[in-house]
Amino acid sequence: MARVKLQTLLDRSNKNMASGTHAVVRETALEVVKRAYKEGINVQISEGHRSYARQNDLYAQGRTKPGNIVTNARGGQSWHNFGIAVDYFLTTNDGSKAVWTVNNNWRRVAQIAKSLGFEWGGDWTSFKDYPHLQMTGGYTLAQLRSGAKPKLTSKVNNSTPAPSQPSKPASTTKWTEKSGNWTGDVLKQGDKGKQVTQLQQLLANNHYYPKKGAKNNGVDGYFGADTKNAVERYQTMHGLEMDGIAGKDTYTQLKGKKASVPSSSKTKKNFDLPNATYWVKSPQFQGSGVKTVQQALASIYYYPDKNAKNNGVDSYYGPKTANAVKRFQSMYGLNQDGSYGPATRQKLDQLVN
């Protein structure tokens, strides 16, 4: 089957970016498509500028409209609303189908984009947004909402080439055998065996394939980079700590079991006021103040644990609540430390009160 023409990918991408996309962002995004094509990678831009109305319509999906939740950002809370962000995906060889697997080709496109001045959502430490590229010009969303216009400089005709693709290392991995059934034991990159196969199959059953399109979609019993990536994507989308390691929490979520509530302790402190500062520690913070914070986060769809009882609102400031706070902080340009402190409290109060 013939490969899709470069001009076809460029025409589609140009149309999808819409008229409100910044000229430098548009030019650079099209250059990414061209450079990737030269390396045998078909990439297409799926969206550029997004109006406030379009953003609010997306925000309503999964909330007041049918469908799955696709964004936590209302109008004015997304970089797309200011024409300085684009999303991309790969295509099949003939360009007839989108490919959303975050594989080596996907990451290579991100390398090319970053060499041209883009920031990549896959580098974010909290909620990773693998299709996302942006040029902020050093501005914050608050400044953009106030009318600031970033001054962007094109690097298309004056840029250093993207780093060369690293040569594939010799296969020297020493695999650790994991026999028996997986019941929540820690599985990580470098493991192999029956337990890894069971993990991979559970991920695939939930449409988080280790490597979609490969033989058996990558279910092969080896916990390599693709399986780690699938675990990270699953953890990110389900409010778990994103470390690429499949342990008890990931197992519990995949199996659809209810998360256990931390046991009580005589040394645990109670904080009844939501203006205290909370972070994950031992003894763990608990009390009505923590519950207030959790309820506030849940009210704007940053659930501590969406599939747990009461969406994870349990008055305990544990890793899942810290992860919800990190995701919230990431969206609003705050220090992503997972701690509920003054700056996070102020922003949360603005949104829920």
Side-chain angles (χ1 to χ4, degrees):
M1 191 173 292
R3 185 183 182 190
V4 61
K5 293 181 178 180
L6 171 60
Q7 193 59 49
T8 300
L9 296 174
L10 292 171
D11 289 344
R12 291 175 182 172
S13 297
N14 197 39
K15 180 180 178 180
N16 290 343
M17 280 188 279
S19 60
T21 302
H22 193 289
V24 171
V25 173
R26 181 187 299 274
E27 178 188 41
T28 309
L30 294 176
E31 183 67 16
V32 171
V33 176
K34 293 176 186 177
R35 295 192 183 193
Y37 193 85
K38 287 182 180 178
E39 296 188 15
I41 305 170
N42 298 342
V43 61
Q44 184 175 314
I45 305 302
S46 60
E47 193 166 21
H49 175 259
R50 191 185 293 156
S51 67
Y52 277 35
R54 162 76 171 149
Q55 189 69 42
N56 287 327
D57 189 56
L58 287 175
Y59 183 82
Q61 186 174 318
R63 297 181 175 98
T64 58
K65 292 177 60 177
N68 296 322
I69 291 177
V70 294
T71 182
N72 286 319
R74 294 185 175 92
Q77 297 174 351
S78 169
W79 300 103
H80 286 275
N81 300 153
F82 306 97
I84 57 175
V86 298
D87 290 337
Y88 73 91
F89 59 86
L90 307 184
T91 80
T92 52
N93 186 63
D94 64 354
S96 63
K97 294 181 180 179
V99 177
W100 293 97
T101 304
V102 182
N103 54 21
N104 289 336
N105 282 345
W106 191 291
R107 295 178 184 278
R108 177 58 181 168
V109 172
Q111 273 188 322
I112 295 170
K114 288 194 291 183
S115 76
L116 290 165
F118 275 118
E119 300 170 31
W120 180 43
D123 289 329
W124 295 347
T125 57
S126 182
F127 181 84
K128 290 186 179 291
D129 191 352
Y130 290 103
H132 186 85
L133 301 170
Q134 65 182 38
M135 289 186 183
T136 67
Y139 285 80
T140 66
L141 282 169
Q143 290 173 318
L144 295 174
R145 285 193 294 269
S146 299
K149 302 292 184 183
K151 296 179 180 179
L152 305 179
T153 302
S154 175
K155 293 185 177 181
V156 170
N157 296 317
N158 184 25
S159 62
T160 56
S164 300
Q165 298 190 64
S167 58
K168 293 184 178 180
S171 180
T172 57
T173 303
K174 294 182 179 179
W175 298 98
T176 302
E177 183 73 34
K178 295 288 184 177
S179 57
N181 292 321
W182 187 45
T183 58
D185 299 333
V186 171
L187 297 177
K188 61 184 183 300
Q189 190 167 352
D191 291 339
K192 70 170 183 175
K194 183 178 178 181
Q195 290 190 40
V196 175
T197 301
Q198 292 172 339
L199 162 65
Q200 293 174 325
Q201 193 60 61
L202 284 169
L203 288 165
N205 291 346
N206 285 273
H207 308 291
Y208 289 83
Y209 305 99
K211 191 171 185 181
K212 189 168 174 59
K215 182 179 180 182
N216 202 23
N217 287 316
V219 178
D220 58 7
Y222 288 82
F223 198 127
D226 290 326
T227 299
K228 181 181 179 183
N229 178 268
V231 171
E232 287 179 346
R233 286 183 282 118
Y234 182 84
Q235 291 170 329
T236 297
M237 294 304 294
H238 291 82
L240 302 172
E241 181 182 358
M242 197 216 68
D243 55 10
I245 298 172
K248 201 70 176 180
D249 287 343
T250 303
Y251 171 82
T252 299
Q253 187 77 39
L254 281 166
K255 296 291 285 187
K257 297 180 179 181
K258 293 182 178 180
S260 59
V261 177
S263 59
S264 60
S265 169
K266 292 181 180 179
T267 60
K268 287 180 179 176
K269 301 178 182 179
N270 278 289
F271 290 84
D272 296 324
L273 296 176
N275 62 351
T277 296
Y278 307 118
W279 61 92
V280 177
K281 67 187 291 289
S282 180
Q284 201 170 48
F285 288 110
Q286 70 173 91
S288 60
V290 174
K291 184 175 182 180
T292 300
V293 174
Q294 291 175 326
Q295 289 172 329
L297 288 165
S299 72
I300 52 175
Y301 308 103
Y302 290 87
Y303 305 102
D305 189 349
K306 194 171 190 310
N307 293 316
K309 182 179 179 181
N310 200 24
N311 290 317
V313 177
D314 59 5
S315 303
Y316 290 86
Y317 202 97
K320 291 183 179 180
T321 299
N323 181 267
V325 171
K326 279 186 179 180
R327 286 182 278 121
F328 175 80
Q329 290 168 330
S330 174
M331 180 61 70
Y332 293 98
L334 303 172
N335 182 31
Q336 298 170 41
D337 59 3
S339 169
Y340 176 78
T344 301
R345 178 169 63 250
Q346 182 180 18
K347 175 55 67 174
L348 193 56
D349 285 345
Q350 288 175 357
L351 296 172
V352 300
N353 294 328

